[in-house]
Amino acid sequence: MRRLYGKARIGWEAEIESQGLVYNKTSLPDGDVRSYWREDVFYDFSAAEIDRLADATELLFAACVEAGDVILGDERLLDRLRIPRDARDVVRASWDAEPPSIYGRFDLWWDGAGEPRLLEFNADTPTSLVEAAVVQWAWHLETGQGRDQWNQLDDRLVAAWQRNLSRWEAHFGRRPRRVHLAWTEGDPSGEDWMTVAYMADCVQRAGYEAVVMTTEEIGLDTGDARFYDPRGNRLEVVFKLYPWEWLLADEYGPSVVADLRWGDTAWIEPIWKTLWSTKGLLPVLWQRYENDPVVSRHLLPAFFGDDPRAAELDATGFARKPLLGREGNNIELVGPGGDVLAQQGGRYGAEGWVLQQLCPLPDFAGPDGPHHPVLGTWVVDGEAAGLGIRESDGLITDNLSYFVPHTIDHRAAWEQPGR
């Protein structure tokens, strides 16, 4: 694993925007504009290193499946994970029925030498998909950097929609007339919109009609208690880039739960993802696997904030994370002596906290400063499918962190390792 320097393509900004990365530029408070995509650097891996990451990803996914069974068998854990009591029956039924589930993303710590370690699992509404599946692949083909890239995302996503929608057809005895894909107007950057637009393209290539809309446009007919789009088409399959905890707390939340009890709407990602889309999954995994010599190598000790065992982390330092935070919001890194190393503000935390052993991101420092990568390994239809890297100047990955492409087996004579 190496951080290398390359050469920016002429007209690269227009190129990546044409590929869907319309949210590349971020305006900073001081008036400057920051590019989200890094064109001049990339990370390179050996094929053996990619195999190692893929194996760790699939091992962690299997561990999460076992953890789901553990959580559903323990009402106290369901309480701690803030799973609403009036939705638990549909969460259990959804888990047992295995309705369509398309994708998820593990965020891993790795320096290329030690064991990859789980930082968190983005199981419900992961983004950075367009840049991982499309933009960095086009960069690889156009620049000729590296012999390959770990990136089967596009083909796997199309195949996942085909398989899961075929299962829906077999279950209900008919073909869905269309698939609705919804994003929320609350995202001003365009990232959610482009993620949904790309997923809609995958649906169309899978052979189904796709309709893109906003979650605000979803309507409930109080007569038949069904959900419809603005044109009066009933929602049969709906992909929602909108977290389940938000949806369940909305005005229509009880109606969604009722629809899941007796209706035939497939909500993707399914409601059982509430078991994984909380950082409360981290202490559940640690409690389940801390004595497992294989799985524990890919975990960090983690505890709920009110667990007396959390005091064990005072000696090592810890990351304090809200159960339902996003984009690094409200994360606090505390060193062994109690000093705060880094922190982010935000609106999360009232739902509870998790403490995870401090594991500072590796620093692939270069002449332009520190560079701390987080490796996002993608799972599509339950299998490891690709890699996307977010890189930060500081120790917390947030919405200003860069996306950096990667290669496999780069051999350019002019390379300049950044580490």
Side-chain angles (χ1 to χ4, degrees):
M1 180 180 176
R2 304 171 297 167
R3 185 180 189 271
L4 307 178
Y5 291 85
K7 297 178 181 178
R9 295 167 292 175
I10 297 175
W12 64 270
E13 290 179 299
E15 182 71 14
I16 64 172
E17 185 171 337
S18 72
Q19 294 159 355
L21 199 59
V22 298
Y23 42 92
N24 176 54
K25 294 180 179 179
T26 301
S27 298
L28 303 178
D30 61 6
D32 287 343
V33 176
R34 183 183 179 106
S35 174
Y36 165 61
W37 169 266
R38 286 299 301 262
E39 177 76 12
D40 57 336
V41 298
F42 58 98
Y43 284 83
D44 181 60
F45 300 81
S46 69
E49 287 176 326
I50 292 298
D51 288 343
R52 192 172 175 186
L53 286 170
D55 289 345
T57 298
E58 298 204 343
L59 185 71
L60 287 168
F61 187 84
C64 289
V65 172
E66 289 193 15
D69 289 329
V70 170
I71 295 167
L72 286 172
D74 190 331
E75 288 292 326
R76 293 172 300 175
L77 276 179
L78 290 167
D79 287 341
R80 281 190 152 181
L81 269 59
R82 301 295 189 265
I83 308 298
R85 288 184 172 272
D86 59 358
R88 292 180 188 180
D89 62 322
V90 295
V91 173
R92 287 191 173 95
S94 173
W95 179 264
D96 292 338
E98 298 184 10
S101 172
I102 303 298
Y103 76 144
R105 191 191 76 235
F106 288 104
D107 285 347
L108 305 180
W109 174 98
W110 201 42
D111 61 359
E115 296 288 352
R117 299 291 187 98
L118 175 63
L119 297 175
E120 59 185 70
F121 187 19
N122 299 275
D124 185 19
T125 57
T127 52
S128 77
L129 181 63
V130 173
E131 48 270 45
V134 178
V135 181
Q136 71 166 343
W137 181 247
W139 169 89
H140 164 63
L141 295 179
E142 293 167 12
T143 63
Q145 303 285 19
R147 298 181 182 178
D148 203 352
Q149 187 178 90
W150 183 23
N151 197 347
Q152 294 86 42
L153 280 165
D154 191 68
D155 289 343
R156 294 275 189 88
L157 285 167
V158 173
W161 279 107
Q162 288 174 331
R163 190 186 78 84
N164 282 288
L165 291 177
S166 294
R167 290 180 61 234
W168 190 94
E169 290 180 30
H171 181 76
F172 291 109
R174 58 185 172 84
R175 180 182 175 87
R177 286 178 284 273
R178 58 190 60 84
V179 177
H180 288 83
L181 302 99
W183 59 285
T184 177
E185 293 176 344
D187 170 41
S189 71
E191 181 175 12
D192 287 359
W193 168 56
M194 284 309 306
T195 301
V196 168
Y198 169 62
M199 198 67 86
D201 179 68
C202 293
V203 169
Q204 290 173 330
R205 283 183 286 143
Y208 295 84
E209 180 185 350
V211 177
V212 174
M213 61 187 298
T214 66
T215 55
E216 290 80 6
E217 291 177 312
I218 295 176
L220 175 68
D221 188 316
T222 55
D224 65 4
R226 302 277 189 169
F227 290 94
Y228 291 83
D229 70 13
R231 294 188 176 184
N233 299 312
R234 192 166 71 79
L235 304 189
E236 297 173 305
V237 178
V238 53
F239 171 87
K240 43 131 211 91
L241 200 65
Y242 192 72
W244 270 109
E245 68 268 17
W246 295 1
L247 184 58
L248 293 175
D250 279 352
E251 178 184 355
Y252 291 155
S255 297
V256 173
V257 171
D259 177 78
L260 286 166
R261 286 197 181 105
W262 55 263
D264 56 3
T265 304
W267 296 82
I268 304 173
E269 291 295 305
I271 195 171
W272 64 256
K273 283 292 187 82
T274 56
L275 305 174
W276 291 356
S277 60
T278 160
K279 293 178 182 67
L281 175 67
L282 300 173
V284 174
L285 287 170
W286 182 248
Q287 182 178 11
R288 172 71 178 82
Y289 291 105
E290 63 177 306
N291 296 315
D292 186 303
V294 178
V295 180
S296 65
R297 292 182 302 178
H298 301 297
L299 300 175
L300 294 165
F303 307 96
F304 290 100
D306 59 355
D307 187 332
R309 289 191 63 192
E312 297 175 15
L313 301 181
D314 291 343
T316 61
F318 55 86
R320 187 170 181 256
K321 301 179 176 183
L323 283 178
L324 302 173
R326 286 177 167 76
E327 293 283 6
N329 287 177
N330 300 101
I331 288 180
E332 184 178 62
L333 305 183
V334 179
D339 294 332
V340 176
L341 307 178
Q343 60 183 349
Q344 289 277 13
R347 58 189 179 91
Y348 302 101
E351 72 279 5
W353 300 89
V354 163
L355 271 61
Q356 184 182 48
Q357 185 180 85
L358 183 65
C359 188
L361 297 176
D363 186 3
F364 287 75
D368 51 346
H371 306 290
H372 304 288
V374 167
L375 307 189
T377 59
W378 290 89
V379 175
V380 176
D381 216 4
E383 296 181 352
L387 172 66
I389 300 174
R390 298 288 303 281
E391 183 183 79
S392 308
D393 303 329
L395 292 175
I396 298 176
T397 305
D398 58 21
N399 62 349
L400 293 180
S401 300
Y402 301 104
F403 187 96
V404 183
H406 77 278
T407 60
I408 301 175
D409 290 339
H410 181 77
R411 292 292 183 269
W414 47 262
E415 68 190 14
Q416 303 172 40
R419 184 174 192 236

